[in-house]
Amino acid sequence: MKHLVANWKMNFVNLDAWLQDFDLNKISDEIKVVICPNYLDIEDFYKKSSKTHKKILIGAQNLSSETEGAFTGQISGKMLRNIGASYSIVGHSESRLHGEDDETILNKVQTAFNCDLIPILCIGENQDEYSKGGTEKKIKHQLTENLFPLKNLSKSVLIAYEPIYAIGSGIAVQNEHLEEVSLIIKELVRDNLGRDLTLVYGGSVTSESAKNLAKVDGIDGFLVGNASLDPKEFANIAQSLE
Ligand code: PEP
């Protein structure tokens, strides 16, 4: 099963207009479509989409590492689940930039499980690490710190490989690089968890770049930021995954 995930970040999206222009008929039943609006729009989008676009699944862009209690300004995974979310992005590079450390991210993945949310764990190297040949080291570090300690995990989890320099830059990575990294991730996951996990790529995916990126072995879908704000463009990206 392939995944197509939209990360709307903190953009203002007219939910009715977006849904009106998003043609689910263009998208194969073999693709799970997950939309991650901002927290405040989740419930509204869930209600609206379940009337006209039942196939859409909802994700949050983050969650608290705690489930309940005196944590001012935090949002519980349980609350997100109660308003229609079934996924949550965890460890996006834009959240890591604002102070999320590895231990917090590990706790968030665990909390997502506890709250019956499927975590979409984002990992990836920055430009400097890439230039110095440090991609494998960074990927291994993040998986070892953010996921593998949860050894007995039998629940669903998605890994999103998002090289930081590709996010929002308009330039997706080359297929050769993606192929190499996909092999590294799949092997590490198999060795540590004894099974395969869904792996999606994120970073300047458009309907144009998706045609090429979808040819890479081991890529089970895309996490799309900017291009997902345009429902027609987003639906066109799905076509590459068929
Ligand atoms: C993202 O932020 O997760 C992302 C993939 O963004 P973009 O598609 O805009 O590069």
Side-chain angles (χ1 to χ4, degrees):
M1 194 84 177
K2 299 264 172 82
H3 275 77
L4 183 62
V5 184
N7 174 13
W8 284 353
K9 310 194 186 194
M10 201 174 68
N11 291 296
F12 290 83
V13 177
N14 180 322
L15 305 182
D16 292 312
W18 194 95
L19 281 168
Q20 196 168 0
D21 284 346
F22 184 58
D23 186 0
L24 262 182
N25 294 326
K26 277 184 148 185
I27 300 179
S28 141
D29 285 340
E30 299 303 306
I31 300 174
K32 283 194 181 181
V33 178
V34 184
I35 309 292
C36 306
N38 71 74
Y39 290 133
L40 296 179
D41 280 342
I42 288 179
E43 185 166 21
D44 208 12
F45 190 68
Y46 174 67
K47 286 184 180 156
K48 288 177 191 291
S49 63
S50 44
K51 281 193 200 127
T52 55
H53 293 65
K54 278 197 185 4
K55 194 176 127 73
I56 290 183
L57 298 160
I58 314 286
Q61 295 173 18
N62 206 340
L63 79 167
S64 171
S65 54
E66 304 291 338
T67 306
E68 189 168 0
F71 302 100
T72 303
Q74 299 293 308
I75 309 276
S76 162
K78 263 205 239 173
M79 294 167 182
L80 296 167
R81 182 78 208 164
N82 286 344
I83 58 169
S86 46
Y87 288 75
S88 180
I89 293 174
V90 179
H92 191 280
S93 58
E94 289 157 12
S95 311
R96 290 181 192 256
L97 257 185
H98 292 100
E100 278 189 357
D101 61 15
D102 284 326
E103 192 185 347
T104 307
I105 293 165
L106 177 71
N107 290 336
K108 287 187 177 198
V109 175
Q110 179 64 63
T111 304
F113 290 143
N114 297 345
C115 298
D116 209 15
L117 294 169
I118 297 175
I120 304 169
L121 173 65
C122 298
I123 58 172
E125 78 280 18
N126 63 29
Q127 180 70 62
D128 189 48
E129 291 158 337
Y130 171 70
S131 311
K132 293 179 174 150
T135 302
E136 181 166 2
K137 186 169 169 219
K138 179 68 176 290
I139 298 291
K140 193 169 182 184
H141 170 87
Q142 289 182 318
L143 289 175
T144 304
E145 296 294 321
N146 304 160
L147 187 66
F148 295 156
L150 310 174
K151 274 262 182 264
N152 299 325
L153 60 90
S154 55
K155 302 199 179 195
S156 295
V157 43
L158 265 67
I159 295 177
Y161 171 57
E162 299 210 299
I164 297 168
Y165 47 90
I167 295 177
S169 68
I171 304 170
V173 293
Q174 298 288 317
N175 278 19
E176 298 72 47
H177 179 71
L178 189 54
E179 194 124 26
E180 230 174 83
V181 176
S182 135
L183 273 175
I184 292 169
I185 295 174
K186 295 259 167 173
E187 203 173 297
L188 280 168
V189 166
R190 229 171 276 139
D191 287 352
N192 283 274
L193 302 180
R195 66 187 177 110
D196 288 323
L197 293 181
T198 301
L199 172 64
V200 300
Y201 165 77
S204 295
V205 176
T206 61
S207 58
E208 203 44 49
S209 63
K211 286 183 202 154
N212 200 32
L213 292 162
K215 293 180 191 149
V216 174
D217 250 6
I219 292 299
D220 311 307
F222 297 123
L223 173 48
V224 187
N226 198 41
S228 69
L229 298 173
D230 174 345
K232 291 187 174 144
E233 172 70 355
F234 188 58
N236 286 338
I237 293 173
Q239 317 239 288
S240 306
L241 292 171
E242 288 174 19

